[in-house]
Amino acid sequence: MTITTEQAAASESRPAAAGISGPVRSPDEFSPLREVVVGRARGAFIPSPRDISAWLALYSHLGAAQVAEIQGGALPAQVVADTEEDLETLVGTLRGLGVVVHRPAEVDHTRPFSTPHWESPSGMYSYCPRDLTLIVGDTIIETPSSVRARYHELDGLRELFQRYLRAGSPWISAPKPQLRDELYEIGVDGLPALGEQEPAFEAANVLRCGLDLFYQVSSSGNEFGRIWLESVLAPRGYRVHPVRDVYPFTHLDSTISLIRPGLVLLNPERVTEHTIPSALRGWDRIWCPAMRELRTHSTAHPLSSPWLGMNLLMVSPELAIVDAAQPDLIAALEQRGVGVLPHTLRHGQALGGGFHCVTLDTIRDAPSGVDYFA
Ligand code: ABU
């Protein structure tokens, strides 16, 4: 085989990067998974809701008197140990399926830091790599979380993203948010709300489906964040669909799950026939069966609702990793021809992350630029 001068130059400017199979390529939530990041529990520290940005993100349904009782802090050692074990099991399954698995580098999230505008007594965790990084096709996008404690959270993925950059992946970041006090509001109900002073959103507010992205406007993603994302993606041919008035709190991935082209899983407590995003109205629906609450309540104030049970990872359009404690959901998926690998995250609700949250798919076997709604 001969190599042209151009190919030689390209390979020189893109040195082979160890452990990855090439640039990122993940345009949707369901195409066959080839490479993924799985989070870690070690080093986690739950931020105190005395910081309004943590109150907003983690406990925005609780009033001031209730959050005054919540301390935050390191997780109990048993919770960390159990979760590491559950994550290792997940890693083993994925590797057994031939998927390349990466883990975030160890980060000590207990360390304080500050900016000119505020001080954060700690970071948070590396448990949910889904939350802050959005992979759109061939591009890595760091999203502007409104949570101060998460400001440096992507440190654990930096080395991996540099490897993808060397392999040819564009890697961009939204304008680093200042997160001044003015961004956070207290509503008439006494609960915190996210303002519009600057773009702020987390990647888990977004679901990807080829050229279409669904962006949840909520306490973890403002309209200004949607405008920024659209400003970057619309010129590349993407459509960003706002999802409003569906779920006012954190993230979209326990409210809507894209199972395969033409099939969507919907949370019946949050979505109605009238609020299904219009692009998805022509798809078949599975209304998620009621969740069975079987988890250990390992912390007094879990970071997620029981609907975390529908927070699943599609390994391919025919195979899902689903909470083993949800037999009704598993049966509903199997009835639609979706195979299920039941898995457990014993403390998922306490830590605020199910199988979609604790993973970040970086490579899926999918053509780019597919229009699933043409
Ligand atoms: N990404 C976690 C979403 C949790 C919830 O909807 O309760």
Side-chain angles (χ1 to χ4, degrees):
M1 187 173 97
T2 53
I3 299 180
T4 64
T5 320
E6 287 79 5
Q7 283 169 326
S11 76
E12 231 166 73
S13 62
R14 291 176 186 174
I20 59 169
S21 50
V24 302
R25 189 180 65 250
S26 188
D28 59 56
E29 305 287 336
F30 40 71
S31 289
L33 186 62
R34 298 291 177 238
E35 224 165 288
V36 71
V37 181
V38 172
R40 287 185 186 283
R42 260 198 309 278
F45 196 94
I46 304 305
S48 159
R50 265 178 281 289
D51 180 308
I52 190 167
S53 75
W55 179 13
L56 173 67
L58 307 180
Y59 311 102
S60 54
H61 56 294
L62 300 181
Q66 282 171 290
V67 291
E69 317 248 299
I70 302 174
Q71 297 303 321
L75 295 168
Q78 193 60 49
V79 170
V80 174
D82 292 348
T83 304
E84 286 297 338
E85 191 175 280
D86 292 343
L87 292 170
E88 280 301 332
T89 304
L90 175 64
V91 168
T93 295
L94 290 165
R95 289 195 172 134
L97 293 167
V99 177
V100 173
V101 179
H102 304 285
R103 308 299 299 276
E106 300 262 2
V107 173
D108 177 5
H109 294 285
T110 64
R111 292 166 62 189
F113 56 89
S114 63
T115 77
H117 307 294
W118 41 264
E119 291 176 5
S120 182
S122 73
M124 191 165 154
Y125 56 27
S126 300
Y127 176 66
C128 290
R130 176 76 55 190
D131 286 1
L132 306 192
T133 305
L134 187 61
I135 308 288
V136 179
D138 67 352
T139 301
I140 302 168
I141 303 177
E142 293 189 15
T143 59
S145 172
S146 62
V147 187
R148 291 168 174 162
R150 307 193 86 170
Y151 214 67
H152 295 293
E153 189 165 305
L154 292 181
D155 283 2
L157 292 174
R158 198 169 174 83
E159 205 273 326
L160 177 65
F161 291 168
Q162 287 184 177
R163 277 189 270 156
Y164 282 125
L165 174 65
R166 286 185 195 284
S169 305
W171 173 21
I172 62 175
S173 173
K176 207 73 182 155
Q178 291 187 308
L179 307 182
R180 292 169 179 241
D181 289 344
E182 302 85 86
L183 180 61
Y184 310 96
E185 298 164 1
I186 300 291
V188 283
D189 53 4
L191 299 178
L194 183 62
E196 291 287 344
Q197 279 77 2
E198 61 182 347
F201 71 100
E202 293 195 344
N205 270 52
V206 180
L207 292 174
R208 304 150 303 145
C209 192
L211 289 177
D212 292 84
L213 291 94
F214 297 90
Y215 176 106
Q216 173 179 261
V217 179
S218 73
S219 61
S220 53
N222 60 17
E223 294 282 2
F224 210 176
R226 177 189 59 76
I227 289 167
W228 178 81
L229 189 63
E230 199 164 46
S231 77
V232 171
L233 295 180
R236 300 177 183 202
Y238 289 93
R239 296 174 287 251
V240 180
H241 304 270
V243 180
R244 301 191 183 95
D245 305 322
V246 164
Y247 181 54
F249 302 123
T250 297
H251 301 163
L252 183 56
D253 52 357
S254 294
T255 300
I256 300 176
S257 298
L258 305 178
I259 304 298
R260 63 178 179 231
L263 183 63
V264 61
L265 174 66
L266 298 168
N267 179 326
E269 270 186 15
R270 299 180 185 170
V271 185
T272 68
E273 288 287 348
H274 302 292
T275 60
I276 296 174
S278 55
L280 293 172
R281 293 221 169 120
W283 284 27
D284 285 340
R285 296 138 202 198
I286 300 175
W287 292 99
C288 189
M291 293 284 102
R292 301 203 188 180
E293 274 202 72
L294 300 176
R295 291 175 191 77
T296 347
H297 279 281
S298 31
T299 57
H301 297 281
L303 302 188
S304 288
S305 74
W307 286 106
L308 200 71
M310 67 168 272
N311 187 290
L312 49 80
L313 174 70
M314 295 310 298
V315 178
S316 76
E318 296 86 33
L319 187 62
I321 292 182
V322 182
D323 184 353
Q326 305 302 337
D328 304 324
L329 171 57
I330 291 171
L333 289 164
E334 287 175 342
Q335 274 163 20
R336 300 297 183 115
V338 181
V340 170
L341 296 174
H343 273 65
T344 301
L345 285 169
R346 278 166 278 180
H347 307 286
Q349 208 179 319
L351 272 67
F355 296 103
H356 192 255
C357 309
V358 302
T359 53
L360 174 69
D361 42 298
T362 54
I363 300 186
R364 287 184 184 268
D365 236 348
S368 55
V370 177
D371 186 346
Y372 289 102
F373 302 98

